[in-house]
């Protein structure tokens, strides 16, 4: 923060940060997004302009303004490419002047990549806006503690280093680095869901997803630290990989027919693409495991203030799929799985104090439950009794 303020940030960037901060003070924040977008748009090209567009993308999504969010992300991507943030030499040159600012450039670039994948995964009609032909060689972000202290290590790692580690398992990377890796894995699964991939490619992606959890160093597997602090970057990374599993296996499961109104759910629409499979039950089981594992991430802490608004979308996806599983009678309504759906809705309600996209999710899920009730009154009546109309 000290380095940021000393850099003399432009007024429009401070305005965006202040606007985001207001969401943590009150549920009712006046809509000044239009004027903020205009002031950012009119500013001269700079890294700060990229950062302002990126921050607006996230807050606009959290405020349920998807078209505006996509537009801001498009501006952030285009400008970052013009400035060369996707090239390693840009941050390397900055390192000679200020290692902290060089790290800031790297974090800005990789956050654009992550947010692009997230918007494509959770928005209705979401698409990948950054067309990645090869993996950027920009070094991955360092640990948050190093960044906060301004003590950036000399040894910088790239995605190529991380990919080599998947075979050697002899290095530990930052939580931010594993989050980038998880986002790129989800990106691959999103692309795989757009077409009919071979069984070999499907098996390879599935093995990569499972292997990701096994090769994490022990210090990164413990997302909840002994003092109750959650490693938010590792929580997001794990959620992204569970989403990757869902998007990979859902098209080949037997669940598509049990999502009657999913097309009207803005946040976290399950993929509409369907593909035949010799073993749909296996794919359904993978989807079920992914949705429950997302709920388990939500159970790590009662504090939700540090959760990204995108986590609300991930919970929404988990909830929709769990209701579909109940409707398909793949999972009985029992004391074993019912708490996960209740947990999701409870966390969404808590996050709704900050982000409108989370606050509206319970009603969307209830609409799905009521539609299921109309088709199968007996089994769904229990769900409606569990989640009362008033909240």
């Amino acid at each position: 923060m000290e380095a940021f303020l000393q850099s003399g940030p432009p007024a429009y960037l401070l305005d965006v940060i202040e606007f985001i901060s207001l969401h943590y003070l009150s549920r009712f924040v006046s809509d000044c997004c239009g004027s903020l977008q205009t002031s950012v748009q009119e500013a001269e090209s700079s890294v700060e302009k990229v950062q302002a567009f990126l921050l607006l993308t996230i807050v606009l999504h959290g405020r349920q303004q998807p078209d505006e969010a996509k537009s801001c992300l498009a501006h952030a991507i285009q400008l970052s490419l013009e400035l060369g943030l996707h090239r390693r030499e840009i941050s390397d040159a900055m390192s000679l002047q200020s290692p902290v600012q060089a790290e800031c450039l790297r974090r800005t670039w990789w956050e654009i990549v992550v947010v692009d994948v997230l918007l494509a995964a959770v928005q209705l009609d979401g698409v990948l806006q950054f067309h990645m032909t090869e993996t950027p060689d920009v070094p991955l972000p360092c640990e948050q503690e190093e960044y906060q202290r301004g003590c950036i290590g000399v040894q910088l790692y790239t995605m190529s280093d991380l990919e080599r580690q998947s075979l050697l398992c002899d290095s530990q990377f930052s939580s931010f680095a594993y989050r980038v890796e998880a986002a790129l894995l989800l990106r691959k699964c999103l692309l795989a869901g757009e077409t009919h991939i071979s069984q070999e490619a499907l098996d390879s992606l599935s093995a990569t997803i499972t292997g990701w959890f096994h090769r994490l160093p022990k210090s990164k597997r413990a997302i909840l630290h002994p003092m109750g602090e959650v490693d938010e970057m590792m929580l997001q990374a794990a959620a992204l990989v569970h989403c990757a599993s869902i998007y990979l296996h859902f098209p080949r499961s037997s669940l598509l027919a049990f999502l009657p109104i999913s097309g009207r759910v803005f946040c976290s629409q399950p993929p509409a693409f369907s593909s035949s499979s010799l073993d749909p039950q296996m794919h359904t089981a993978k989807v079920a495991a992914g949705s429950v594992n997302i709920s388990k991430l939500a159970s790590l802490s009662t504090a939700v203030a540090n959760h990204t608004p995108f986590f609300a979308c991930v919970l929404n996806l988990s909830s929709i799929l769990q209701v579909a599983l109940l409707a398909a009678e793949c999972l009985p309504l029992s004391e074993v799985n019912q708490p996960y759906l209740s947990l999701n809705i409870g966390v969404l309600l808590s996050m709704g104090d900050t982000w409108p996209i989370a606050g509206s999710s319970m009603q969307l899920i209830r609409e799905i439950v009521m539609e299921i009730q109309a088709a199968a009154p007996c089994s769904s009546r229990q769900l409606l009794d569990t989640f009362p109309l008033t909240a």
Side-chain angles (χ1 to χ4, degrees):
M1 178 59 70
E2 183 180 353
F4 171 68
L5 295 176
Q6 288 179 350
S7 69
Y12 63 80
L13 181 55
L14 292 174
D15 289 341
V16 171
I17 293 173
E18 182 178 285
F19 176 64
I20 294 172
S21 301
L22 291 175
H23 290 75
Y24 293 89
L25 300 177
S26 172
R27 297 184 63 179
F28 308 100
V29 180
S30 59
D31 187 2
C32 59
C33 297
S35 60
L36 286 173
Q37 287 178 259
T38 300
S39 62
V40 175
Q41 184 69 56
E42 293 175 349
E44 295 182 358
S45 297
S46 66
V47 174
E48 290 81 6
K49 185 173 181 177
V50 173
Q51 293 167 341
F53 272 131
L54 179 58
L55 291 172
L56 281 173
T57 299
I58 299 171
V59 72
L60 285 166
H61 178 80
R63 291 175 61 87
Q64 293 184 286
Q65 297 175 253
D67 294 336
E68 293 85 348
K70 281 188 276 193
S71 175
C72 284
L73 180 61
H75 287 306
I77 292 172
Q78 181 61 36
L79 185 53
S80 67
L81 295 175
E82 292 174 3
L83 295 173
L85 297 186
H86 62 300
R87 300 199 305 268
R88 175 170 187 160
E89 55 264 30
I90 300 298
S91 62
D92 283 354
M94 180 60 73
S95 295
L96 300 176
Q97 305 174 36
S98 172
V100 172
Q101 289 190 22
E103 173 68 10
C104 184
L105 294 182
R106 293 190 289 268
R107 288 179 173 229
T108 300
W109 166 251
W110 283 118
E111 193 66 18
I112 288 174
V113 173
V114 172
V115 171
D116 182 43
V117 173
L118 282 165
L119 283 190
V122 304
Q123 282 195 344
L124 196 65
D125 303 322
V127 294
L128 290 165
Q129 297 191 63
F130 173 52
H131 303 289
M132 186 185 299
T133 55
E134 58 184 20
T135 304
D137 63 351
V138 177
L140 295 162
C142 66
E143 291 287 11
Q144 183 68 5
E145 294 76 15
E146 298 175 17
Y147 188 43
Q148 293 285 13
R149 295 196 310 268
C151 301
I152 312 300
V154 177
Q155 180 67 50
L156 300 175
Y157 297 100
T158 65
M159 273 304 303
S160 297
D161 296 321
L162 196 51
E163 289 168 357
R164 275 197 299 274
Q165 186 265 353
S166 67
L167 294 176
L168 302 176
C169 296
D170 62 349
S171 301
Q172 177 172 314
F173 298 86
S174 71
S175 298
F176 283 78
Y178 288 116
R179 175 173 173 263
V180 170
E181 183 186 31
L184 294 180
L185 181 53
L186 174 55
R187 179 190 177 93
K188 291 179 182 178
C189 291
L190 290 175
L191 293 173
E194 295 176 357
T195 184
H196 294 272
I197 64 172
S198 67
Q199 185 63 42
E200 182 180 2
L202 174 65
D203 292 342
S204 176
L205 281 172
S206 184
T208 302
I209 290 170
T210 302
W212 187 88
F213 291 98
H214 286 295
R215 61 182 172 79
L216 283 178
K218 290 183 178 179
S219 62
K220 296 301 179 183
R221 295 181 191 179
I223 298 175
L224 182 64
H225 294 172
M227 298 303 293
E229 181 183 356
V230 173
D231 185 335
E232 289 289 334
M233 291 299 100
M234 285 308 301
L235 182 143
Q236 288 186 38
L240 285 165
V241 178
H242 289 312
C243 284
S245 180
I246 288 171
Y247 275 82
L248 180 66
H249 293 286
F250 181 89
R252 296 157 185 87
S253 72
S254 56
L255 292 177
L256 187 61
F258 298 94
L259 299 172
I261 66 166
S262 62
R264 299 204 303 271
V265 177
F266 157 61
C267 188
S268 291
Q269 178 199 12
F273 177 80
S274 180
S275 179
S276 60
S277 170
L278 296 176
D279 190 4
Q281 290 306 314
M282 183 275 290
H283 295 290
T284 301
K286 291 279 190 178
V287 173
S291 65
V292 168
N293 283 328
I294 288 172
S295 296
K296 290 180 179 179
L297 290 175
S299 72
L300 290 177
S301 174
T302 56
V304 299
N306 290 331
H307 289 339
T308 168
F310 289 113
F311 192 60
C313 304
V314 173
L315 286 177
N316 217 347
L317 174 62
S318 169
S319 302
I320 293 169
L321 292 173
Q322 289 184 42
V323 172
L325 286 160
L326 293 171
E329 296 183 349
C330 297
L331 290 174
L333 182 61
S334 68
E335 294 181 358
V336 175
N337 52 66
Q338 178 181 310
Y340 293 124
L341 188 54
S342 301
L343 170 66
N344 286 2
I345 294 175
V347 174
L348 287 170
L349 287 173
S350 293
M351 291 186 67
D353 291 336
T354 305
W355 299 113
I357 201 168
S360 66
S361 293
M362 180 171 182
Q363 184 57 37
L364 296 175
I365 297 170
R366 284 198 57 79
E367 289 178 6
I368 297 175
V369 172
M370 286 188 285
E371 186 156 336
I372 292 175
Q373 181 196 33
C378 294
S379 61
S380 298
R381 174 68 64 183
Q382 299 175 64
L383 272 176
L384 288 174
D385 292 341
T386 304
F387 311 121
L389 283 168
T390 57

